[in-house]
Amino acid sequence: MIQSAEILKIADRFPVHPDEFDEGTRIPAARSRRMRIELIDGRIRSRAAPDGDHGRIIQWLTRICLRSRPELWLHPEQGIKVQEYRLGRARPDGALAPSDAFVGQGEWADPAPVLTAVEVTSYDADTDQRDRVEKPRAYAQTGIPVYLLIDRDRCEVTVYSEPDGVRYECSHTVPFGKEIALPDPVGIVVPTEQLKDWVR
């Protein structure tokens, strides 16, 4: 019997249309609780399921966002449509948007209300390419104003901003322990000292 990982290796060689992606990934995703599947740059990408520290970081960030902007919510793992040209599908670890932004939207929502896409690195082989290269490009092409990368491998936080439709023109990186600002339209300052507790 072909395993989920083998299906992904085969599928990764061929560009995929979103309708085929949705249908073709339901079974592997449902059968394996250890991975999540996305369509980025026209290719299927898999990622490790979040660990406990990963989930705790999302809780922590949700509380920070709520204190500063109570009208917003950090929607965990909401699927969004990315890269209009490539018809991509991504599932950020968090999508900061108004509380009711995705009501009635279904599994893959319009990204227009998203102010910030959040990714927390996982301890897997694809993190570098996925979270540091493909995701910033996809989110910038989609016009998401801010991309926040919490990088547990490097113990640093990077904020990408000012998307020009191709890439983010600005990025700012600080080590865990320093504050970092999410610029307008977000306007939240994130203290990162506590992140030191949730890395290996």
Side-chain angles (χ1 to χ4, degrees):
M1 182 176 183
I2 297 176
Q3 299 298 313
S4 299
E6 292 170 320
I7 292 170
L8 288 170
K9 284 179 185 175
I10 294 166
D12 192 43
R13 295 182 203 151
F14 306 100
V16 177
H17 188 275
D19 294 339
E20 296 167 339
F21 166 76
D22 288 342
E23 187 62 31
T25 57
R26 283 190 213 289
I27 294 171
R31 293 186 60 146
S32 175
R33 302 289 182 224
R34 297 182 197 153
M35 69 174 173
R36 292 184 295 172
I37 302 171
E38 301 171 301
L39 181 64
I40 302 171
D41 285 334
R43 305 264 180 205
I44 293 175
R45 297 287 182 244
S46 67
R47 61 188 297 185
D51 58 41
D53 289 337
H54 186 288
R56 183 65 181 90
I57 289 169
I58 295 300
Q59 289 177 23
W60 163 83
L61 186 58
T62 299
R63 289 189 175 104
I64 290 170
C65 293
L66 275 173
R67 280 196 298 269
S68 299
R69 300 284 305 272
E71 77 279 15
L72 302 178
W73 184 253
L74 188 63
H75 302 265
E77 299 183 27
Q78 170 63 53
I80 58 173
K81 299 171 185 174
V82 296
Q83 298 175 297
E84 186 172 329
Y85 169 69
R86 293 283 192 164
L87 301 173
R89 302 288 185 264
R91 197 175 294 282
D93 293 320
L96 186 66
S99 298
D100 61 354
F102 304 120
V103 173
Q105 292 266 344
E107 185 175 2
W108 302 106
D110 180 349
V114 179
L115 300 180
T116 304
V118 178
E119 297 291 350
V120 179
T121 58
S122 298
Y123 299 112
D124 63 22
D126 295 331
T127 286
D128 186 61
Q129 182 67 19
R130 184 185 59 242
D131 293 335
R132 300 184 189 114
V133 178
E134 294 172 345
K135 288 290 187 80
R137 184 172 56 230
Y139 295 146
Q141 289 173 0
T142 305
I144 294 172
V146 177
Y147 171 45
L148 173 64
L149 175 61
I150 299 173
D151 195 325
R152 295 189 290 170
D153 295 309
R154 298 178 178 175
C155 292
E156 60 188 25
V157 177
T158 301
V159 171
Y160 298 83
S161 61
E162 299 183 25
D164 67 2
V166 177
R167 66 187 59 80
Y168 286 105
E169 292 188 345
C170 294
S171 67
H172 180 62
T173 301
V174 299
F176 286 0
K178 291 192 172 182
E179 288 187 344
I180 193 163
L182 304 184
D184 290 339
V186 184
I188 295 173
V189 175
V190 178
T192 68
E193 179 71 29
Q194 206 165 356
L195 291 170
K196 295 176 181 179
D197 297 336
W198 302 314
V199 293
R200 290 183 185 169

Short mmCIF file of all heavy atoms in Angstrom, two decimals, residues 140-186:
data_model
loop_
_atom_site.label_atom_id
_atom_site.label_comp_id
_atom_site.label_asym_id
_atom_site.label_seq_id
_atom_site.Cartn_x
_atom_site.Cartn_y
_atom_site.Cartn_z
N ALA A 140 3.46 37.63 0.34
CA ALA A 140 3.70 38.94 -0.28
C ALA A 140 2.95 39.05 -1.60
O ALA A 140 2.34 40.09 -1.90
CB ALA A 140 5.19 39.16 -0.50
N GLN A 141 2.96 38.00 -2.40
CA GLN A 141 2.24 38.01 -3.68
C GLN A 141 0.75 38.14 -3.47
O GLN A 141 0.04 38.69 -4.29
CB GLN A 141 2.56 36.74 -4.47
CG GLN A 141 3.97 36.71 -5.02
CD GLN A 141 4.34 35.38 -5.65
OE1 GLN A 141 3.54 34.45 -5.69
NE2 GLN A 141 5.56 35.29 -6.15
N THR A 142 0.27 37.65 -2.33
CA THR A 142 -1.16 37.72 -2.00
C THR A 142 -1.54 39.09 -1.44
O THR A 142 -2.71 39.43 -1.39
CB THR A 142 -1.50 36.61 -0.98
OG1 THR A 142 -1.08 35.35 -1.54
CG2 THR A 142 -2.98 36.52 -0.69
N GLY A 143 -0.54 39.87 -1.01
CA GLY A 143 -0.81 41.20 -0.48
C GLY A 143 -1.10 41.24 1.01
O GLY A 143 -1.63 42.23 1.52
N ILE A 144 -0.75 40.17 1.74
CA ILE A 144 -0.92 40.18 3.20
C ILE A 144 0.08 41.18 3.76
O ILE A 144 1.29 41.06 3.52
CB ILE A 144 -0.73 38.77 3.77
CG1 ILE A 144 -1.87 37.88 3.27
CG2 ILE A 144 -0.68 38.80 5.30
CD1 ILE A 144 -1.73 36.41 3.60
N PRO A 145 -0.38 42.20 4.52
CA PRO A 145 0.50 43.30 4.91
C PRO A 145 1.72 42.91 5.73
O PRO A 145 2.78 43.50 5.57
CB PRO A 145 -0.42 44.23 5.72
CG PRO A 145 -1.80 43.91 5.26
CD PRO A 145 -1.78 42.44 4.91
N VAL A 146 1.57 41.93 6.62
CA VAL A 146 2.67 41.57 7.52
C VAL A 146 2.79 40.05 7.60
O VAL A 146 1.78 39.34 7.69
CB VAL A 146 2.46 42.15 8.94
CG1 VAL A 146 3.57 41.72 9.89
CG2 VAL A 146 2.36 43.67 8.89
N TYR A 147 4.02 39.57 7.57
CA TYR A 147 4.30 38.15 7.81
C TYR A 147 5.21 38.07 9.04
O TYR A 147 6.28 38.68 9.06
CB TYR A 147 4.98 37.53 6.59
CG TYR A 147 5.51 36.12 6.79
CD1 TYR A 147 4.75 35.15 7.44
CD2 TYR A 147 6.77 35.76 6.33
CE1 TYR A 147 5.24 33.85 7.61
CE2 TYR A 147 7.26 34.48 6.48
CZ TYR A 147 6.50 33.53 7.13
OH TYR A 147 6.99 32.25 7.31
N LEU A 148 4.79 37.32 10.05
CA LEU A 148 5.55 37.15 11.28
C LEU A 148 6.08 35.72 11.33
O LEU A 148 5.29 34.77 11.33
CB LEU A 148 4.67 37.43 12.50
CG LEU A 148 5.28 37.14 13.87
CD1 LEU A 148 6.48 38.03 14.14
CD2 LEU A 148 4.23 37.30 14.97
N LEU A 149 7.40 35.59 11.35
CA LEU A 149 8.04 34.28 11.43
C LEU A 149 8.70 34.12 12.79
O LEU A 149 9.63 34.88 13.12
CB LEU A 149 9.08 34.12 10.32
CG LEU A 149 9.91 32.83 10.37
CD1 LEU A 149 9.02 31.59 10.22
CD2 LEU A 149 10.99 32.85 9.29
N ILE A 150 8.22 33.17 13.57
CA ILE A 150 8.84 32.83 14.84
C ILE A 150 9.70 31.61 14.59
O ILE A 150 9.20 30.51 14.36
CB ILE A 150 7.77 32.57 15.93
CG1 ILE A 150 6.94 33.85 16.14
CG2 ILE A 150 8.42 32.11 17.23
CD1 ILE A 150 5.76 33.69 17.06
N ASP A 151 11.00 31.85 14.58
CA ASP A 151 11.97 30.85 14.12
C ASP A 151 12.61 30.18 15.33
O ASP A 151 13.54 30.71 15.94
CB ASP A 151 13.02 31.54 13.26
CG ASP A 151 13.84 30.57 12.45
OD1 ASP A 151 14.11 29.46 12.95
OD2 ASP A 151 14.23 30.91 11.32
N ARG A 152 12.13 28.98 15.64
CA ARG A 152 12.65 28.27 16.82
C ARG A 152 14.03 27.68 16.60
O ARG A 152 14.77 27.46 17.55
CB ARG A 152 11.67 27.17 17.24
CG ARG A 152 10.33 27.73 17.72
CD ARG A 152 9.47 26.65 18.33
NE ARG A 152 8.99 25.71 17.34
CZ ARG A 152 8.38 24.57 17.64
NH1 ARG A 152 8.19 24.21 18.89
NH2 ARG A 152 7.95 23.76 16.68
N ASP A 153 14.39 27.42 15.34
CA ASP A 153 15.73 26.90 15.06
C ASP A 153 16.80 27.96 15.32
O ASP A 153 17.85 27.67 15.87
CB ASP A 153 15.84 26.45 13.60
CG ASP A 153 14.94 25.27 13.30
OD1 ASP A 153 14.99 24.28 14.05
OD2 ASP A 153 14.17 25.34 12.34
N ARG A 154 16.52 29.17 14.92
CA ARG A 154 17.49 30.26 15.03
C ARG A 154 17.29 31.12 16.28
O ARG A 154 18.06 32.06 16.51
CB ARG A 154 17.41 31.14 13.78
CG ARG A 154 17.78 30.38 12.51
CD ARG A 154 17.64 31.26 11.29
NE ARG A 154 18.04 30.52 10.08
CZ ARG A 154 17.92 31.01 8.85
NH1 ARG A 154 17.45 32.23 8.65
NH2 ARG A 154 18.32 30.29 7.82
N CYS A 155 16.22 30.84 17.04
CA CYS A 155 15.88 31.62 18.24
C CYS A 155 15.78 33.11 17.91
O CYS A 155 16.36 33.96 18.60
CB CYS A 155 16.88 31.37 19.36
SG CYS A 155 16.78 29.70 20.01
N GLU A 156 15.00 33.41 16.87
CA GLU A 156 14.80 34.80 16.48
C GLU A 156 13.41 34.96 15.86
O GLU A 156 12.76 33.99 15.48
CB GLU A 156 15.88 35.27 15.51
CG GLU A 156 15.96 34.48 14.23
CD GLU A 156 17.17 34.84 13.36
OE1 GLU A 156 18.18 35.33 13.90
OE2 GLU A 156 17.09 34.64 12.14
N VAL A 157 12.99 36.22 15.81
CA VAL A 157 11.69 36.57 15.24
C VAL A 157 11.94 37.55 14.10
O VAL A 157 12.70 38.50 14.25
CB VAL A 157 10.78 37.22 16.30
CG1 VAL A 157 9.46 37.67 15.70
CG2 VAL A 157 10.54 36.27 17.46
N THR A 158 11.28 37.31 12.97
CA THR A 158 11.40 38.21 11.82
C THR A 158 10.02 38.71 11.43
O THR A 158 9.06 37.94 11.34
CB THR A 158 12.05 37.50 10.61
OG1 THR A 158 13.35 37.03 10.99
CG2 THR A 158 12.18 38.45 9.43
N VAL A 159 9.94 40.02 11.22
CA VAL A 159 8.71 40.65 10.72
C VAL A 159 8.98 41.14 9.31
O VAL A 159 9.91 41.92 9.07
CB VAL A 159 8.28 41.83 11.62
CG1 VAL A 159 7.13 42.60 10.97
CG2 VAL A 159 7.87 41.33 12.99
N TYR A 160 8.18 40.65 8.37
CA TYR A 160 8.24 41.08 6.98
C TYR A 160 7.06 42.03 6.74
O TYR A 160 5.95 41.75 7.19
CB TYR A 160 8.09 39.90 6.03
CG TYR A 160 9.17 38.85 6.14
CD1 TYR A 160 9.12 37.86 7.11
CD2 TYR A 160 10.25 38.83 5.24
CE1 TYR A 160 10.11 36.88 7.20
CE2 TYR A 160 11.24 37.86 5.32
CZ TYR A 160 11.16 36.89 6.30
OH TYR A 160 12.13 35.93 6.39
N SER A 161 7.31 43.12 6.01
CA SER A 161 6.23 44.08 5.74
C SER A 161 6.44 44.75 4.39
O SER A 161 7.46 44.54 3.72
CB SER A 161 6.17 45.13 6.86
OG SER A 161 7.37 45.86 6.94
N GLU A 162 5.45 45.56 4.01
CA GLU A 162 5.45 46.29 2.74
C GLU A 162 5.55 45.37 1.53
O GLU A 162 6.51 45.42 0.75
CB GLU A 162 6.57 47.35 2.72
CG GLU A 162 6.43 48.39 3.80
CD GLU A 162 7.50 49.48 3.73
OE1 GLU A 162 8.04 49.72 2.62
OE2 GLU A 162 7.77 50.07 4.78
N PRO A 163 4.53 44.52 1.35
CA PRO A 163 4.53 43.65 0.17
C PRO A 163 4.37 44.47 -1.11
O PRO A 163 3.57 45.41 -1.15
CB PRO A 163 3.32 42.74 0.40
CG PRO A 163 2.41 43.54 1.28
CD PRO A 163 3.32 44.36 2.16
N ASP A 164 5.12 44.12 -2.13
CA ASP A 164 5.02 44.85 -3.40
C ASP A 164 4.36 44.01 -4.50
O ASP A 164 4.41 44.35 -5.67
CB ASP A 164 6.39 45.35 -3.86
CG ASP A 164 7.35 44.22 -4.23
OD1 ASP A 164 6.94 43.04 -4.18
OD2 ASP A 164 8.51 44.52 -4.56
N GLY A 165 3.75 42.89 -4.09
CA GLY A 165 3.12 41.99 -5.06
C GLY A 165 4.03 40.88 -5.53
O GLY A 165 3.59 39.94 -6.17
N VAL A 166 5.31 40.99 -5.17
CA VAL A 166 6.29 39.96 -5.52
C VAL A 166 6.99 39.46 -4.26
O VAL A 166 7.15 38.27 -4.04
CB VAL A 166 7.33 40.49 -6.52
CG1 VAL A 166 8.39 39.43 -6.82
CG2 VAL A 166 6.65 40.94 -7.81
N ARG A 167 7.41 40.42 -3.43
CA ARG A 167 8.15 40.09 -2.20
C ARG A 167 7.85 41.16 -1.16
O ARG A 167 7.24 42.19 -1.47
CB ARG A 167 9.65 40.05 -2.48
CG ARG A 167 10.24 41.40 -2.85
CD ARG A 167 11.68 41.35 -3.30
NE ARG A 167 11.90 40.51 -4.45
CZ ARG A 167 11.66 40.88 -5.71
NH1 ARG A 167 11.19 42.09 -5.97
NH2 ARG A 167 11.88 40.06 -6.71
N TYR A 168 8.29 40.91 0.06
CA TYR A 168 8.22 41.94 1.10
C TYR A 168 9.45 42.82 0.96
O TYR A 168 10.58 42.32 0.90
CB TYR A 168 8.16 41.31 2.49
CG TYR A 168 6.82 40.70 2.81
CD1 TYR A 168 6.64 39.31 2.80
CD2 TYR A 168 5.72 41.49 3.13
CE1 TYR A 168 5.41 38.75 3.08
CE2 TYR A 168 4.48 40.93 3.40
CZ TYR A 168 4.33 39.57 3.38
OH TYR A 168 3.11 39.01 3.66
N GLU A 169 9.24 44.13 0.93
CA GLU A 169 10.36 45.06 0.76
C GLU A 169 11.13 45.27 2.05
O GLU A 169 12.30 45.65 2.01
CB GLU A 169 9.86 46.39 0.21
CG GLU A 169 9.34 46.29 -1.21
CD GLU A 169 9.02 47.64 -1.82
OE1 GLU A 169 8.93 48.63 -1.08
OE2 GLU A 169 8.87 47.69 -3.05
N CYS A 170 10.48 45.07 3.20
CA CYS A 170 11.15 45.30 4.49
C CYS A 170 11.12 44.03 5.34
O CYS A 170 10.13 43.30 5.34
CB CYS A 170 10.46 46.42 5.26
SG CYS A 170 10.61 48.03 4.48
N SER A 171 12.21 43.79 6.05
CA SER A 171 12.22 42.73 7.06
C SER A 171 13.06 43.21 8.23
O SER A 171 14.04 43.94 8.05
CB SER A 171 12.76 41.42 6.49
OG SER A 171 14.12 41.54 6.16
N HIS A 172 12.65 42.80 9.41
CA HIS A 172 13.36 43.19 10.63
C HIS A 172 13.44 41.95 11.52
O HIS A 172 12.42 41.31 11.78
CB HIS A 172 12.62 44.33 11.33
CG HIS A 172 13.28 44.78 12.60
ND1 HIS A 172 14.54 45.33 12.63
CD2 HIS A 172 12.84 44.76 13.88
CE1 HIS A 172 14.86 45.64 13.88
NE2 HIS A 172 13.84 45.29 14.65
N THR A 173 14.64 41.61 11.98
CA THR A 173 14.85 40.41 12.78
C THR A 173 15.46 40.78 14.12
O THR A 173 16.37 41.61 14.18
CB THR A 173 15.80 39.43 12.04
OG1 THR A 173 15.22 39.10 10.77
CG2 THR A 173 16.02 38.16 12.84
N VAL A 174 14.93 40.15 15.18
CA VAL A 174 15.51 40.31 16.52
C VAL A 174 15.68 38.94 17.15
O VAL A 174 14.93 38.01 16.85
CB VAL A 174 14.64 41.20 17.44
CG1 VAL A 174 14.48 42.60 16.87
CG2 VAL A 174 13.28 40.56 17.72
N PRO A 175 16.65 38.78 18.04
CA PRO A 175 16.78 37.52 18.78
C PRO A 175 15.69 37.43 19.84
O PRO A 175 15.14 38.44 20.28
CB PRO A 175 18.17 37.63 19.43
CG PRO A 175 18.40 39.09 19.56
CD PRO A 175 17.71 39.74 18.40
N PHE A 176 15.36 36.19 20.23
CA PHE A 176 14.42 36.02 21.33
C PHE A 176 14.91 36.83 22.53
O PHE A 176 16.09 36.77 22.89
CB PHE A 176 14.32 34.54 21.74
CG PHE A 176 13.56 33.67 20.76
CD1 PHE A 176 13.00 34.17 19.60
CD2 PHE A 176 13.42 32.31 21.02
CE1 PHE A 176 12.30 33.36 18.72
CE2 PHE A 176 12.72 31.48 20.15
CZ PHE A 176 12.17 32.00 19.00
N GLY A 177 14.01 37.58 23.14
CA GLY A 177 14.35 38.41 24.29
C GLY A 177 14.15 39.89 24.02
O GLY A 177 13.98 40.67 24.94
N LYS A 178 14.14 40.28 22.74
CA LYS A 178 13.93 41.69 22.38
C LYS A 178 12.51 41.90 21.86
O LYS A 178 11.91 41.00 21.27
CB LYS A 178 14.94 42.13 21.32
CG LYS A 178 16.36 42.21 21.83
CD LYS A 178 17.23 42.94 20.82
CE LYS A 178 18.62 43.18 21.40
NZ LYS A 178 19.48 43.93 20.46
N GLU A 179 12.00 43.10 22.06
CA GLU A 179 10.69 43.45 21.52
C GLU A 179 10.79 43.64 20.01
O GLU A 179 11.83 44.03 19.49
CB GLU A 179 10.18 44.75 22.13
CG GLU A 179 9.76 44.64 23.57
CD GLU A 179 9.10 45.91 24.07
OE1 GLU A 179 9.25 46.97 23.41
OE2 GLU A 179 8.45 45.86 25.12
N ILE A 180 9.67 43.35 19.33
CA ILE A 180 9.60 43.63 17.90
C ILE A 180 8.21 44.17 17.59
O ILE A 180 7.21 43.73 18.18
CB ILE A 180 9.93 42.37 17.06
CG1 ILE A 180 10.16 42.75 15.60
CG2 ILE A 180 8.85 41.29 17.21
CD1 ILE A 180 10.87 41.68 14.78
N ALA A 181 8.14 45.15 16.71
CA ALA A 181 6.88 45.79 16.36
C ALA A 181 6.30 45.20 15.09
O ALA A 181 7.02 44.98 14.11
CB ALA A 181 7.08 47.29 16.19
N LEU A 182 5.00 44.93 15.13
CA LEU A 182 4.26 44.59 13.91
C LEU A 182 3.73 45.91 13.38
O LEU A 182 2.88 46.54 14.02
CB LEU A 182 3.12 43.62 14.21
CG LEU A 182 3.48 42.32 14.92
CD1 LEU A 182 2.25 41.43 15.06
CD2 LEU A 182 4.58 41.59 14.19
N PRO A 183 4.22 46.39 12.23
CA PRO A 183 3.86 47.73 11.76
C PRO A 183 2.41 47.84 11.31
O PRO A 183 1.69 46.84 11.24
CB PRO A 183 4.83 47.95 10.59
CG PRO A 183 5.15 46.58 10.10
CD PRO A 183 5.12 45.68 11.30
N ASP A 184 2.01 49.06 10.99
CA ASP A 184 0.66 49.28 10.47
C ASP A 184 0.44 48.41 9.23
O ASP A 184 1.39 48.18 8.48
CB ASP A 184 0.48 50.75 10.09
CG ASP A 184 0.43 51.65 11.32
OD1 ASP A 184 0.13 51.12 12.41
OD2 ASP A 184 0.70 52.85 11.18
N PRO A 185 -0.76 47.88 9.08
CA PRO A 185 -1.99 48.19 9.80
C PRO A 185 -2.21 47.41 11.10
O PRO A 185 -3.32 47.40 11.62
CB PRO A 185 -3.06 47.82 8.78
CG PRO A 185 -2.46 46.65 8.04
CD PRO A 185 -0.98 46.94 7.97
N VAL A 186 -1.18 46.75 11.60
CA VAL A 186 -1.35 45.93 12.81
C VAL A 186 -1.12 46.76 14.06
O VAL A 186 -2.00 46.88 14.91
CB VAL A 186 -0.41 44.70 12.79
CG1 VAL A 186 -0.67 43.82 14.00
CG2 VAL A 186 -0.59 43.91 11.50
#
